[in-house]
Amino acid sequence: SDLLFKSGNQLKGEKEGRINVLLMAIGGDGHDGPNLSDTIMVASIQPKEKKIALLSLPRDLYVKVPGEQFYSKLNAVNAYGEAQKKGSGANLLAQEIEDVTGLHINYFIRIDFTAFKKIVDSVGGVNIKIENGFFDYWHKISFPAGTEHMNGERALAYARARYVEGPEGGDFRRAGRQQQLLLAIRDKVFSAQTAFDLRAISGVLDALRD
């Protein structure tokens, strides 16, 4: 809530010149493994320099669960924490990310599929340039090369596409597509078209509020 609504006082990490935000996406209610965080990024912000770096972490990274004596895939840490105590999964994953990267996590944002689609639709969709066309053979969805205007449903399918062969296959290319989407959403949110559209901004904030 600090990131969205705080004013006046400094944000955590601002005094030190770097604010690290853990970004995670989960399926949410109605999906298999609703608390698995298959998208995990760290956004590292340098407020004075007005710079930001994005680091994607592989969902299948094999890690020791904080405070436990067993190992798990990184994407299951949030789910494990939620199973132990509702609301604690993100903090447990943040602790794991600190151990893996050496970065201190100041904040986290956890978003589910429904909120992601709502954000994209609230800003009127995003334009995505697809360099290499590909086919997600699990979900049977095609993404031809070219620039495509994506609504929330289509953007989610693009972000989730994992069963892909050829040059767009693999988790690194998938992470690249997710970063591409995140930056496209950022550009749309801060465009003049959206910035003065109170209904659009309200939709984004409502999606993020919980």
Side-chain angles (χ1 to χ4, degrees):
S1 61
D2 281 2
L3 283 170
L4 295 178
F5 306 115
K6 189 172 184 178
S7 62
N9 296 329
Q10 286 189 321
L11 294 169
K12 297 174 185 176
E14 190 172 355
K15 183 178 179 181
E16 293 77 21
R18 186 175 294 276
I19 305 166
N20 294 318
V21 185
L22 170 62
L23 310 173
M24 69 186 88
I26 61 174
D29 293 341
H31 296 274
D32 293 336
N35 287 311
L36 294 176
S37 49
D38 282 350
T39 298
I40 304 169
M41 297 183 199
V42 175
S44 188
I45 304 162
Q46 293 178 277
K48 289 183 179 178
E49 293 81 1
K50 294 183 171 56
K51 291 183 178 180
I52 183 170
L54 286 175
L55 172 66
S56 294
L57 290 104
R59 62 189 292 279
D60 293 332
L61 191 66
Y62 201 53
V63 296
K64 183 176 180 296
V65 178
E68 304 293 346
Q69 296 303 313
F70 62 87
Y71 288 74
S72 167
K73 288 183 179 180
L74 188 62
N75 75 324
V77 173
N78 176 72
Y80 175 76
E82 288 296 310
Q84 298 305 302
K85 182 180 179 182
K86 186 172 177 60
S88 66
N91 287 320
L92 190 68
L93 181 58
Q95 184 180 339
E96 184 63 64
I97 297 303
E98 289 186 346
D99 292 344
V100 169
T101 66
L103 297 171
H104 177 62
I105 301 299
N106 302 112
Y107 297 99
F108 69 81
I109 297 174
R110 181 171 54 193
I111 191 170
D112 63 16
F113 290 170
T114 300
F116 176 84
K117 290 188 290 185
K118 184 176 180 179
I119 289 170
V120 174
D121 287 335
S122 292
V123 299
V126 291
N127 292 323
I128 297 295
K129 185 177 181 180
I130 304 172
E131 296 286 353
N132 301 302
F134 63 94
F135 181 72
D136 180 347
Y137 59 82
W138 182 264
H139 297 101
K140 305 294 189 296
I141 300 175
S142 180
F143 295 90
T147 298
E148 179 179 337
H149 184 77
M150 296 184 180
N151 64 11
E153 191 75 35
R154 182 72 168 170
L156 178 63
Y158 186 73
R160 294 187 67 198
R162 187 158 64 94
Y163 299 91
V164 177
E165 295 177 346
E168 288 299 310
D171 270 352
F172 289 111
R173 289 301 306 135
R174 181 171 181 259
R177 291 192 291 272
Q178 292 170 350
Q179 290 191 10
Q180 181 188 21
L181 268 171
L182 187 62
L183 293 172
I185 293 170
R186 179 204 63 180
D187 290 344
K188 195 65 181 293
V189 167
F190 289 104
S191 68
Q193 174 188 356
T194 305
F196 296 102
D197 185 341
L198 295 181
R199 185 170 58 179
I201 296 301
S202 176
V204 172
L205 294 179
D206 283 346
L208 289 172
R209 195 176 299 271
D210 295 329

